[in-house]
């Protein structure tokens, strides 16, 4: 059975909308853990648009499951991570204008910076995951650079699934092809000796297909859970996502 890490960034997005002190991402992390989440994921962005440095310090003290921090492979971020020491760091690409992370890292083009970050983080006892597109070349390069895990970007799969409009004209063939690309990428990672996670854009509606890929051990899901939580409560929203993943894996 795979693990679910809940990304709580959007709790901080609501707080930052008013530059106040609520809702508190640490309280959200505790609720997610009580609802059965296996870990908490959070992205400390260079522009600090949601999670702040003090959140990270507080999360490190309070999270008892697993704390995964997404960040760019910059000196500033690596220094923060090696000081706070979360359980895991996921290196992601970051660009200032993006609404959210737009795709995987180009591990081949940025080998030096990524390898240096992996080395420093690993020496600090932090498990390093690289967020990459479902591209076997990127996955083999990640293994060569010494990553412990890759997180396969499911954004394209999610995008194909979540087209608005008539569900009967959903792009079934394209969705199947993209799921196959993710499956092949996951198998490539396992053959290269590294662990596999997946995330980005996954929802209650589209997670099942990806949850059936046995090689994927971890899911990082945020927006959809927090969006649902706004309407039904965070405890229920987390339990529903765990149930959706489990149902796919027991069928
Ligand atoms: N994984 C990574 C590497 C991400 O950057 C994000 C978004 O912060 C997620 C997973 C979660 O994506 P979503 O919020 O679309 O579930």
């Amino acid at each position: 059975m795979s693990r679910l890490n809940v990304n709580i960034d959007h709790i901080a997005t609501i707080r930052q909308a008013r530059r106040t002190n609520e809702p508190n991402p640490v309280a959200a992390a505790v609720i997610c853990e009580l609802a059965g989440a296996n870990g908490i994921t959070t992205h400390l962005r260079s522009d600090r648009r949601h999670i702040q440095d003090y959140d990270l310090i507080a999360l490190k003290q309070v999270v008892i499951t697993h704390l995964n921090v997404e960040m760019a492979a910059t000196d500033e971020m690596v220094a923060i991570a090696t000081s706070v020491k979360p359980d895991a760091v996921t290196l992601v690409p970051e660009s200032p204008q993006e609404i959210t992370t737009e795709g995987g890292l180009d591990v081949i083009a940025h080998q030096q910076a990524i390898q240096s970050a992996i080395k420093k983080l690993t020496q600090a006892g932090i498990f390093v995951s690289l967020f990459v597109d479902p591209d076997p070349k990127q996955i083999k390069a990640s293994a060569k650079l010494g990553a412990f895990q890759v997180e396969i970007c499911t954004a394209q799969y999610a995008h194909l699934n979540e087209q608005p409009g008539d569900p009967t004209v959903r792009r079934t063939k394209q969705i199947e092809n993209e799921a196959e690309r993710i499956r092949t990428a996951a198998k490539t990672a396992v053959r290269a000796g590294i662990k596999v996670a997946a995330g980005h854009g996954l929802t209650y509606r589209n997670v099942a297909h990806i949850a059936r890929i046995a090689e994927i051990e971890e899911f990082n899901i945020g927006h959809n859970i927090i969006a649902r939580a706004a309407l039904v409560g965070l405890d229920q929203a987390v339990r529903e996502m765990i149930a959706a993943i489990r149902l796919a894996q027991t069928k």
Side-chain angles (χ1 to χ4, degrees):
M1 288 285 181
S2 54
R3 303 181 300 276
L4 171 67
N5 294 341
V6 179
N7 181 316
I8 53 159
D9 292 344
H10 289 334
I11 299 294
T13 303
I14 298 171
R15 180 191 62 193
Q16 294 309 109
R18 297 292 288 268
R19 302 283 188 277
T20 177
N21 58 2
E22 62 183 0
N24 187 339
V26 177
V30 172
I31 294 172
C32 293
E33 288 187 322
L34 290 173
N38 304 99
I40 301 300
T41 291
T42 190
H43 186 168
L44 185 69
R45 293 189 67 99
S46 304
D47 62 11
R48 308 297 197 275
R49 68 173 70 157
H50 37 55
I51 291 292
Q52 307 296 308
D53 300 51
Y54 58 79
D55 292 320
L56 211 56
I57 292 164
L59 285 166
K60 164 70 185 178
Q61 288 168 348
V62 170
V63 169
I64 56 172
T65 51
H66 176 84
L67 179 63
N68 170 37
V69 180
E70 299 169 0
M71 55 174 51
T74 60
D75 291 344
E76 181 205 7
M77 288 298 152
V78 170
I80 293 171
T82 53
S83 146
V84 174
K85 291 194 172 40
D87 300 291
V89 161
T90 302
L91 296 176
V92 300
E94 224 177 73
S95 88
Q97 305 309 327
E98 67 189 2
I99 294 174
T100 179
T101 315
E102 283 169 349
L105 279 170
D106 188 341
V107 177
I108 299 164
H110 302 105
Q111 273 193 47
Q112 263 185 337
I114 293 169
Q115 191 163 32
S116 150
I118 293 176
K119 200 169 160 209
K120 289 179 192 152
L121 294 164
T122 306
Q123 274 168 358
I126 301 165
F127 156 122
V128 184
S129 183
L130 302 183
F131 185 55
V132 293
D133 288 327
D135 172 352
K137 285 203 289 295
Q138 294 291 338
I139 287 168
K140 286 180 195 158
S142 302
K144 264 199 191 139
L145 294 188
F148 192 80
Q149 173 175 283
V150 282
E151 178 175 339
I152 299 175
C153 177
T154 51
Q156 176 62 13
Y157 165 82
H159 176 72
L160 290 167
N161 267 279
E162 300 292 324
Q163 298 289 325
D166 183 351
T168 59
V169 296
R170 274 168 25 117
R171 304 161 177 189
T172 314
K173 187 69 197 148
Q174 281 170 278
I175 292 170
E176 187 45 58
N177 288 347
E178 188 58 23
E180 190 51 40
R181 214 158 77 89
I182 294 168
R183 196 172 297 119
T184 303
K187 287 185 189 303
T188 304
V190 170
R191 272 200 297 273
I194 53 178
K195 304 263 177 204
V196 193
H200 213 290
L202 294 175
T203 69
Y204 302 94
R205 299 171 294 279
N206 68 30
V207 74
H209 221 94
I210 304 301
R212 285 191 206 107
I213 301 174
E215 288 79 6
I216 299 177
E217 295 185 35
E218 174 187 293
F219 290 95
N220 289 291
I221 307 180
H223 181 84
N224 184 236
I225 295 175
I226 304 301
R228 185 151 176 79
L231 305 180
V232 304
L234 187 52
D235 179 272
Q236 187 178 326
V238 172
R239 288 178 196 277
E240 286 178 11
M241 183 59 80
I242 292 170
I245 293 172
R246 294 282 173 271
L247 183 67
Q249 294 176 342
T250 50
K251 265 187 194 165

